[in-house]
Amino acid sequence: MSELVIVEHDTGTGVARIVLNRPQVLNAVDVAMARALAAAIEDVAGRQGVRAIVLAAAGRAFVAGGDIAAFGSDPSTSPDVVNAILDAMHPAILALRAQDAPVIAAVRGAAAGAGLSLVLAADLVVAEEGAKFVIAYDRIGVSPDCGGTWFLPRKVGAALAAEMMLLSRALDAAEAKEAGIVNLVVPQGELETATDALAQRVAAGATRAFGHFRRLSDAALSTPLADQLEAERHAFVASTATADFREGVAAFLGKTRPAFRGE
């Protein structure tokens, strides 16, 4: 595994951590970083026993966006660099949304551009006070990528998404929570502790049912009601074949707390 992205997996709790590790450039994404992230996500998504995934970053920023230096001094090479980055980032984001384990982003400092898109791809977001969320693409004269135009309007609505893109509006942690990007804001110095507690909580849940919930939610805004009802039916019926369903029903009837295993 590349040193640009560190993977840690606690088999006892089922929590896996993917840590972006280019702090000297605020974890800006270049081709090597994108490929390392894609490999890390593929690795974690394919592991048995992963029941929650934490996306975190080393240093004082989450991701400051794409590495502008990677585009070089010759604009004619930019399309090749962009395509190489996105050839890795697209499968990485799709893999995050396709697997079952809930994804939690832990944000310190700036989450800009592709970094904001990664945050938006998570199911839950914990932000440290002082964090900043900004789309940033307008500042270099390009349109968003990495799913930014898909996730952002769904999370914050069309009006605020337009402000962030057209007027360079940045959100602090409290504003991002109010807008629906962030779930929990914590004081500085408490990000890791709060994120780990949340990750362990969701890791103790019914992992396969959580995966169904995410995929159904992703499809809901573009799926006719009749089709969504049938998709919900198939997901519910599939869930009844799991050990966690049997455990949940037994615990409910016995008035005890379920001990889900993610199976």
Side-chain angles (χ1 to χ4, degrees):
M1 194 64 65
S2 169
E3 294 182 357
L4 296 173
V5 178
I6 299 168
V7 174
E8 304 164 347
H9 181 196
D10 183 339
T11 56
T13 63
V15 176
R17 290 176 59 86
I18 298 174
V19 183
L20 305 171
N21 189 39
R22 255 188 120 205
Q24 69 278 13
V25 291
L26 304 181
N27 299 304
V29 179
D30 62 2
V31 175
M33 169 74 91
R35 289 173 176 168
L37 178 60
I41 291 172
E42 181 181 7
D43 172 38
V44 168
R47 291 189 187 191
Q48 293 292 323
V50 171
R51 300 178 64 189
I53 298 171
V54 173
L55 279 180
R60 59 189 178 89
F62 183 73
V63 174
D67 190 346
I68 304 303
F71 300 136
S73 58
D74 182 0
S76 68
T77 65
S78 294
D80 293 335
V81 176
V82 170
N83 281 321
I85 292 173
L86 297 184
D87 282 347
M89 292 296 290
H90 287 181
I93 292 167
L94 290 171
L96 272 183
R97 300 302 296 178
Q99 55 79 46
D100 290 336
V103 179
I104 303 169
V107 182
R108 173 184 292 113
L116 178 57
S117 294
L118 281 175
V119 169
L120 295 169
D123 300 297
L124 298 169
V125 179
V126 182
E128 189 176 75
E129 290 178 348
K132 186 170 81 169
F133 302 82
V134 57
I135 197 75
Y137 293 91
D138 57 304
R139 299 178 184 179
I140 58 170
V142 294
S143 55
D145 59 5
C146 294
T149 61
W150 194 89
F151 289 114
L152 192 62
R154 283 170 165 76
K155 288 287 181 79
V156 307
L160 182 53
E163 282 187 50
M164 294 178 72
M165 179 62 209
L166 303 179
L167 302 177
S168 296
R169 180 170 175 184
L171 305 181
D172 63 23
E175 290 171 326
K177 185 177 188 301
E178 183 177 357
I181 294 173
V182 168
N183 300 93
L184 178 65
V185 179
V186 298
Q188 293 187 8
E190 298 183 14
L191 181 64
E192 286 78 11
T193 300
T195 302
D196 288 346
L198 185 59
Q200 290 181 37
R201 178 176 175 180
V202 298
T207 311
R208 292 189 182 181
F210 290 163
H212 287 308
F213 163 74
R214 182 199 298 115
R215 289 184 287 274
L216 287 166
S217 296
D218 282 355
L221 291 182
S222 59
T223 302
L225 176 58
D227 293 342
Q228 188 74 2
L229 289 170
E230 287 306 307
E232 288 177 345
R233 179 209 302 267
H234 291 309
F236 194 112
V237 170
S239 296
T240 66
T242 66
D244 280 347
F245 173 75
R246 294 190 292 275
E247 169 65 18
V249 171
F252 180 85
L253 295 176
K255 296 181 172 57
T256 61
R257 189 180 184 88
F260 294 123
R261 296 179 298 175
E263 300 173 355

